[in-house]
Amino acid sequence: ENAELRAELERARTAGADGAAAKLPPQPLALSRTANLALLFAFATFLAFSIAEVMFALIANSLSMLGDAASMIVDAMTYCMNLVAVHLALRGAVGPRVEAFLTVIAPSLSAVALCAVTAYIVEQAAEALAADPEPVSTTLMLTFGLANLGVDVLNLYAFAKFPATYGAVILGKPTSEAKGELNLRSALTHIVADTYRSVAVIVAALVAQSTNVPASHADAVSAMIVSFPIIVMTLALVVN
């Protein structure tokens, strides 16, 4: 009986400890300075590149470039919002309601905005496919596609310190409850989405240059194809 009593007390003690641990608030992200630097780098590079791409997209008459530039502007604003959210969440400088908005609602809103921009690109691409071919500068498409891919690779490397975030975005693994984690996942989702768009622009330019496919049609098809994984990733973020 004494052995059973001791066993029962041990189970109760363990259960109580687990329950107390379960009630502990989410722990702050490690390497908070690294998180802030990664988000700041993403904001600066995407904003600068998107401004240049808007101008050259109009010159090139490229729908995929213009859509990419518009999406990058949304991305840049998202990184700025995420940067503020992570900074305030890690400092504990705001109340619970404001923190909930910054760390949960804000990433969801940015994901919805990306979905909306992507849906608009698909609509414009469908109209371009139905219309007669138009001249598109494939040289500018290829140049900016390669440059944009370089920016994406640099940002992907900057987020290499957060393997759990990569697992959540790429593999759909559950996101941790660390403060600011959803904001990092939101930012990385935008970077991965932009990487898809960069590859789409490059492929469209190469197809148009090496085949008889009209450049405007190749441009439109690439914009439509790459939209599917982007919408899947962003919807997964919203659900999480």
Side-chain angles (χ1 to χ4, degrees), residues 10-136:
E10 180 63 20
R11 285 195 295 269
R13 186 187 65 79
T14 304
D18 291 343
K23 294 178 182 179
L24 288 175
Q27 297 303 305
L29 276 169
L31 303 172
S32 59
R33 183 171 180 271
T34 305
N36 280 284
L37 289 175
L39 289 170
L40 181 60
F41 181 73
F43 168 70
T45 54
F46 270 56
L47 182 62
F49 193 90
S50 62
I51 293 173
E53 190 173 24
V54 166
M55 295 184 293
F56 282 94
L58 296 174
I59 296 173
N61 193 33
S62 170
L63 177 63
S64 60
M65 281 180 64
L66 189 60
D68 182 57
S71 297
M72 288 185 76
I73 292 174
V74 173
D75 295 345
M77 296 303 101
T78 299
Y79 303 146
C80 181
M81 183 167 55
N82 290 340
L83 182 64
V84 173
V86 170
H87 181 68
L88 293 179
L90 291 173
R91 289 182 56 194
V94 294
R97 290 186 178 182
V98 176
E99 181 176 321
F101 173 80
L102 290 173
T103 59
V104 179
I105 305 300
S108 299
L109 291 177
S110 74
V112 171
L114 182 57
C115 277
V117 171
T118 303
Y120 175 75
I121 293 171
V122 170
E123 179 187 2
Q124 293 299 305
E127 292 181 3
L129 281 175
D132 293 331
E134 295 183 1
V136 175

Side-chain angles (χ1 to χ4, degrees), residues 118 193 195-198 200 221-231:
T118 303
T195 304
Y196 286 144
R197 292 192 300 265
S198 299
V221 169
S222 68
M224 295 180 71
I225 291 176
V226 78
S227 297
F228 177 73
I230 293 174
I231 291 177

Side-chain angles (χ1 to χ4, degrees), residues 46 49 53 68-69 72 143-153 194-195 197-198 201:
F46 270 56
F49 193 90
E53 190 173 24
D68 182 57
M72 288 185 76
T143 300
F144 268 82
L146 290 171
N148 195 2
L149 185 60
V151 171
D152 294 329
V153 170
D194 192 67
T195 304
R197 292 192 300 265
S198 299
V201 172

